[in-house]
Amino acid sequence: MAGTNSERELLTEGPAIILAYPQLGENIGMVARAMANFGLSELRLVNPRDGWPSEKARSAASRADHVIDGAKLYGSLEEAIADLNFVYATTARDRDGYKPVRSPIVAARTLRERFRSGEAVGIIFGRERTGLTNEEVALADEIVTFPVNPAFASLNLAQAVLLMSYEWMKTGMESEEETSFQAIAQRPATKEHLQGLFDHLEDALEARNYFRSADKKPKLVENLRAVLTRPSFTESEIQVLRGVISSLDRFTRENPRGSGAPAGRNRKVQGGGDNE
């Protein structure tokens, strides 16, 4: 699967994800996948409607087998959270009561702080269709709700878990600008490389009578150089461009690359990057 790498460290820590009375195995599987994406692994299931284990869940998990294999089954929500010290309940509806309501980022930071101090923490998610009841929300310490369109606030189960898992992952990063991988460093092109590109292109255009009016040629050359100096080219990019020019210079639509260079067109411009 794209994006997986068995050679890199598999993150498996953080709050327990508690699904209260989930319905479809496919939804549980997509939750497991979302958890694995962001380093969570402890999945607790409260009386899933379609039973457990579930092959549909495993298939939908897209190789997040460690989450599926480690899932724990409970008969009630009270049992599922009994050993936890601090729990959030997720909801998109207004609730009567006195529990604090937090945003996902505040909730994730709180969970991270408590987790680092050694507390067992968790997040409760409700049924796909109706969410959590008021009685179930009352079992949590605080409420977390998502900033969604108030006229269309319904999230599916995996979406809700993914949003909280993403916020959890961010709280463990050194900065919000940090990424899991970086682009490969490229050497910037020197002026000599750029000059070679200019000369190569000008020579190819001259051979095709692009500069039909001699008096306009200086301005056309100036415009071309202005265009080509706007980006900060790297050496490899210069090689790519010169390879393109070489191919256009040597081959035609009637005699494409691979059919053999036509007579009179086998001159190779040095440094053109043509890999025939």
Side-chain angles (χ1 to χ4, degrees), residues 86-98:
F86 187 87
V87 177
Y88 274 107
T90 59
T91 181
R93 301 200 307 268
D94 292 335
R95 303 279 182 168
D96 295 328
Y98 300 96

Side-chain angles (χ1 to χ4, degrees), residues 22 26 29 66 101 103 128 130 156 180 202 205-206 256 269 276:
E26 293 93 330
H66 64 289
V101 180
S103 69
E128 289 93 324
T130 59
N156 69 38
S180 58
E202 185 178 342
L205 293 173
E206 187 75 62
V269 179
E276 187 190 18

Side-chain angles (χ1 to χ4, degrees), residues 73-88:
L73 196 62
Y74 297 87
S76 69
L77 183 56
E78 289 86 349
E79 293 175 12
I81 65 173
D83 62 330
L84 302 180
N85 302 111
F86 187 87
V87 177
Y88 274 107

Side-chain angles (χ1 to χ4, degrees), residues 104-228:
I105 189 168
V106 171
R109 288 171 179 167
T110 300
L111 290 169
R112 178 71 69 174
E113 291 172 3
R114 289 178 175 274
F115 180 79
R116 284 174 173 167
S117 68
E119 293 187 33
V121 295
I123 314 169
I124 306 171
F125 296 85
R127 302 158 186 81
E128 289 93 324
R129 292 185 60 190
T130 59
L132 296 168
T133 66
N134 288 335
E135 291 76 13
E136 289 162 352
V137 171
L139 297 174
D141 297 280
E142 295 183 357
I143 293 172
V144 58
T145 190
F146 304 101
V148 293
N149 183 347
F152 198 79
S154 177
L155 295 171
N156 69 38
L157 189 56
Q159 286 175 327
V161 172
L162 185 140
L163 287 173
M164 279 306 303
S165 301
Y166 170 67
E167 293 297 344
W168 163 263
M169 172 68 88
K170 283 183 8 182
T171 62
M173 299 164 61
E174 293 184 2
S175 73
E176 292 187 355
E177 291 78 22
E178 182 183 345
T179 59
S180 58
F181 61 90
Q182 299 291 332
I184 298 174
Q186 298 282 339
R187 288 185 297 179
T190 65
K191 299 306 179 186
E192 181 181 5
H193 291 129
L194 282 172
Q195 185 61 50
L197 174 62
F198 297 151
D199 293 342
H200 192 171
L201 180 59
E202 185 178 342
D203 179 70
L205 293 173
E206 187 75 62
R208 288 161 178 77
N209 200 27
Y210 177 80
F211 308 109
R212 292 189 299 276
S213 301
D215 59 326
K216 294 182 179 179
K217 177 178 177 180
K219 184 60 177 177
L220 289 171
V221 171
E222 179 184 335
N223 290 342
L224 283 170
R225 295 193 176 212
V227 169
L228 293 173

